[in-house]
């Protein structure tokens, strides 16, 4: 699911991806200190998730940014393979992201019906 570039949920979706980057790197600390993941492996996977989030933020002005945002959600949940608590964080952010998209679609539908 994607939203129109002028959707009112554009900013909340952008904020979700930006906050997600912060949580990803806080998770990196847990990966290397608690779960004994090597620094290189943890940094590589966190970098992939971060790049997806940031590319998604840039692309939200076009529809493809939402598709990249969905990919970022999948990768963030996948970070749970490196440290289990990232499953919870990934699922929470995926739910927030899905809420932004679903509510945005509802708002777009109502705006179209009102016109």
């Amino acid at each position: 699911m994607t939203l129109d570039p002028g959707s009112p949920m554009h900013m909340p979706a952008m904020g979700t991806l930006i906050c997600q980057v912060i949580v990803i790197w806080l998770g990196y600390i847990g990966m290397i200190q608690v779960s004994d993941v090597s620094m290189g492996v943890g940094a590589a996977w966190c970098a992939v998730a971060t790049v997806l989030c940031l590319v998604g933020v840039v692309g939200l002005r076009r529809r493809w940014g939402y598709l990249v945002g969905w990919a970022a959600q999948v990768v963030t949940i996948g970070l749970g393979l490196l440290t289990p608590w990232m499953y919870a964080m990934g699922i929470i952010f995926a739910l927030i992201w899905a809420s932004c998209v679903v509510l945005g679609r509802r708002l777009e539908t109502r705006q179209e019906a009102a016109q």
Side-chain angles (χ1 to χ4, degrees):
M1 294 178 76
T2 62
L3 298 174
D4 288 331
S7 173
M9 293 306 288
H10 174 80
M11 292 304 287
M14 184 182 296
T16 300
L17 291 174
I18 291 170
C19 289
Q20 192 168 341
V21 170
I22 295 167
V23 170
I24 287 167
W25 287 100
L26 289 172
Y28 172 71
I29 296 166
M31 285 177 204
I32 60 176
Q33 291 187 350
V34 176
S35 297
D36 294 326
V37 173
S38 74
M39 290 176 70
V41 170
W45 282 107
C46 288
V48 168
T50 298
V51 167
L52 285 172
C53 288
L54 295 178
V55 169
V57 166
V58 171
L60 286 180
R61 295 180 192 262
R62 303 214 166 47
R63 290 187 183 265
W64 60 264
Y66 288 93
L67 300 174
V68 175
W70 284 110
Q73 304 315 309
V74 171
V75 172
T76 303
I77 293 171
L79 290 175
L81 295 170
L82 299 177
T83 187
W85 76 275
M86 280 304 289
Y87 283 125
M89 293 295 101
I91 290 169
I92 289 168
F93 274 100
L95 289 173
I96 295 169
W97 177 259
S99 296
C100 287
V101 174
V102 169
L103 291 174
R105 292 297 299 161
R106 287 183 186 172
L107 288 171
E108 287 175 5
T109 303
R110 284 187 183 173
Q111 287 175 349
E112 290 172 1
Q115 294 176 354

